[in-house]
Amino acid sequence: MPSFTLPRAARLTRTHKVAVAVLAAAGATSGLALTSAPDTAQAASEHSPAAVKPVSAKGQPAKADDAKTGRPVTASVADHVKAEKQHTAKQAADRSADRKAVKDYPNNLDGWIRESLDIMKAKGIPGSYEGLHRNIMRESAGDPNAVNDWDINAINGVPSKGLLQVIQPTFDAYHVAGTPNKLTDPIANITAAANYAADRYGSIDNVDSAY
């Protein structure tokens, strides 16, 4: 299309007016196209997936430190391990306490008296080491198998036996639960005699002769 130049003051002809109108319309269309075109960055932002927040193993939001890495929180595992260690330590302490609670008594007169005193204390039966030892030495000289075969009890068929020379009917009546049910057993004999003496004399400590 050949170019032309209008005189500065020339009037527009009808043809020129049409041409100007077409150009103006084209410019308006171009402007509309530019303004209506979608913003690529904005569209991408609007359609991008939402940021996924990390959660812990229990489904709760992760702590701030873990949110940076996206790793799940492992505090529950640590708590479980700690609880297991505490439980193991408690069991060991309980076993140690049980071992301390069970005393080892020597298998001799001293051990028999001490074990009997612990049982008597637990059962509320009065008596002392001195009281038991003194009466044992007088009655049997410390022999758990001593038997009196000459007094009135022996004549009646129920001889006195054991460390504290107890007859069977008395042993049966005053036997202390938790000790062997045997008249000549050292522990059973001492505790039964002490139980009988407490009932009759107030304590084995008050006995200084045949009882």
Side-chain angles (χ1 to χ4, degrees):
M1 179 178 181
S3 61
F4 59 90
T5 302
L6 294 175
R8 180 175 300 178
R11 293 183 179 179
L12 294 177
T13 64
R14 178 178 179 79
T15 301
H16 293 158
K17 289 180 181 181
V18 173
V20 171
V22 171
L23 290 175
T29 304
S30 176
L32 288 175
L34 289 174
T35 56
S36 62
D39 186 340
T40 305
Q42 181 180 355
S45 174
E46 292 176 353
H47 295 283
S48 61
V52 179
K53 296 182 179 180
V55 295
S56 66
K58 296 181 179 180
Q60 299 298 323
K63 294 181 179 179
D65 292 342
D66 293 323
K68 298 176 182 178
T69 60
R71 292 193 298 267
V73 176
T74 57
S76 59
V77 176
D79 291 342
H80 178 72
V81 172
K82 182 178 179 181
E84 285 293 330
K85 288 182 178 180
Q86 291 176 340
H87 179 67
T88 302
K90 185 178 184 302
Q91 285 183 323
D94 290 343
R95 287 193 296 270
S96 178
D98 290 341
R99 285 193 295 269
K100 291 179 180 179
V102 178
K103 295 182 179 179
D104 291 328
Y105 302 95
N107 188 28
N108 55 31
L109 182 58
D110 178 70
W112 300 331
I113 293 176
R114 293 186 183 283
E115 184 172 355
S116 296
L117 283 171
D118 284 343
I119 295 173
M120 290 163 58
K121 182 179 180 180
K123 300 292 185 177
I125 301 172
S128 66
Y129 186 99
E130 186 278 330
L132 291 174
H133 187 269
R134 170 167 44 83
N135 282 284
I136 288 171
M137 295 308 293
R138 186 189 67 252
E139 293 291 335
S140 66
D143 180 6
N145 297 310
V147 179
N148 184 322
D149 57 4
W150 56 266
D151 67 0
I152 187 62
N153 290 317
I155 295 173
N156 292 331
V158 284
S160 302
K161 297 180 180 181
L163 291 172
L164 282 169
Q165 292 293 282
V166 182
I167 61 175
Q168 190 66 52
T170 300
F171 178 82
D172 293 341
Y174 290 94
H175 171 251
V176 177
T179 64
N181 192 18
K182 181 181 179 182
L183 177 59
T184 56
D185 177 85
I187 309 304
N189 189 276
I190 293 174
T191 55
N195 195 24
Y196 164 74
D199 184 44
R200 185 167 181 179
Y201 303 102
S203 171
I204 191 68
D205 294 348
N206 298 330
V207 177
D208 290 308
S209 61
Y211 61 110

